Amino acid sequence: MATRTDPVTLEVVELIGTVVARYHEEYDRAAAEHSLTGAQARVLGLLALEPTPMRKIAVKLKCEPSNVTGIVDRLETRGLVERRPDPADRRVKLAAATEAGVRTARELRDSLTFAREPLAELSDAERTVLRDLLRRMLGADA
């Protein structure tokens, strides 16, 4: 039975930490190539998927709404994001990626090869098992 201190569990935790650190290093490097901070790149990536209220962005990123406001302000100044009224509730403002923002988010995502290249070496079945195990580890948050 696995415990929090058995050798395999400790190695898995260490490996996950290494994967996360390498991913963040690559993500920050890719963001910097577009003159973005990591946080700006993450917000832009979310907004490239769909217009989102800033409060919801803050929840997803687990940060204060005032931080998101500042990030959106800087992205808006660069023409990558715009604010628009929510058609369902005009009192709510949505942040949305502009065409240039969507293009930048796509270029950023396409430049992230750290995980994609090693994953491509796994079979479909292995990737599916890995995905399912990660979802299981994350529980309802996945």
Side-chain angles (χ1 to χ4, degrees):
M1 177 171 199
T3 66
R4 292 185 300 188
T5 58
D6 74 87
V8 173
T9 297
L10 293 175
E11 184 178 5
V12 169
V13 168
E14 186 67 28
L15 289 168
I16 290 171
T18 301
V19 168
V20 169
R22 286 189 187 170
Y23 177 80
H24 282 292
E25 288 170 11
E26 182 176 339
Y27 198 88
D28 289 345
R29 193 171 27 258
E33 289 176 13
H34 292 278
S35 301
L36 298 169
T37 65
Q40 289 170 340
R42 283 185 281 285
V43 168
L44 184 60
L46 287 173
L47 297 178
L49 298 174
E50 65 179 334
T52 307
M54 290 198 282
R55 188 168 303 283
K56 187 174 180 183
I57 296 168
V59 169
K60 282 188 176 200
L61 297 180
K62 296 176 177 50
C63 69
E64 293 296 318
S66 60
N67 291 348
V68 173
T69 299
I71 292 168
V72 170
D73 287 346
R74 288 186 286 285
L75 292 170
E76 190 172 36
T77 298
R78 293 196 41 200
L80 300 174
V81 166
E82 64 186 10
R83 287 177 170 91
R84 53 174 88 140
D86 184 341
D89 183 350
R90 303 211 38 95
R91 297 170 295 174
V92 175
K93 288 284 187 190
L94 299 176
T98 61
E99 194 172 303
V102 170
R103 188 173 47 255
T104 299
R106 183 176 45 250
E107 290 170 4
L108 213 164
R109 185 183 60 245
D110 290 348
S111 72
L112 298 174
T113 58
F114 162 67
R116 197 172 19 236
E117 288 176 3
L119 284 171
E121 295 177 16
L122 300 177
S123 69
D124 287 343
E126 290 170 324
R127 284 194 310 276
T128 300
V129 167
L130 178 59
R131 181 205 60 204
D132 292 347
L133 289 170
L134 291 170
R135 283 181 175 173
R136 188 169 153 197
M137 283 181 67
L138 293 171
D141 293 337

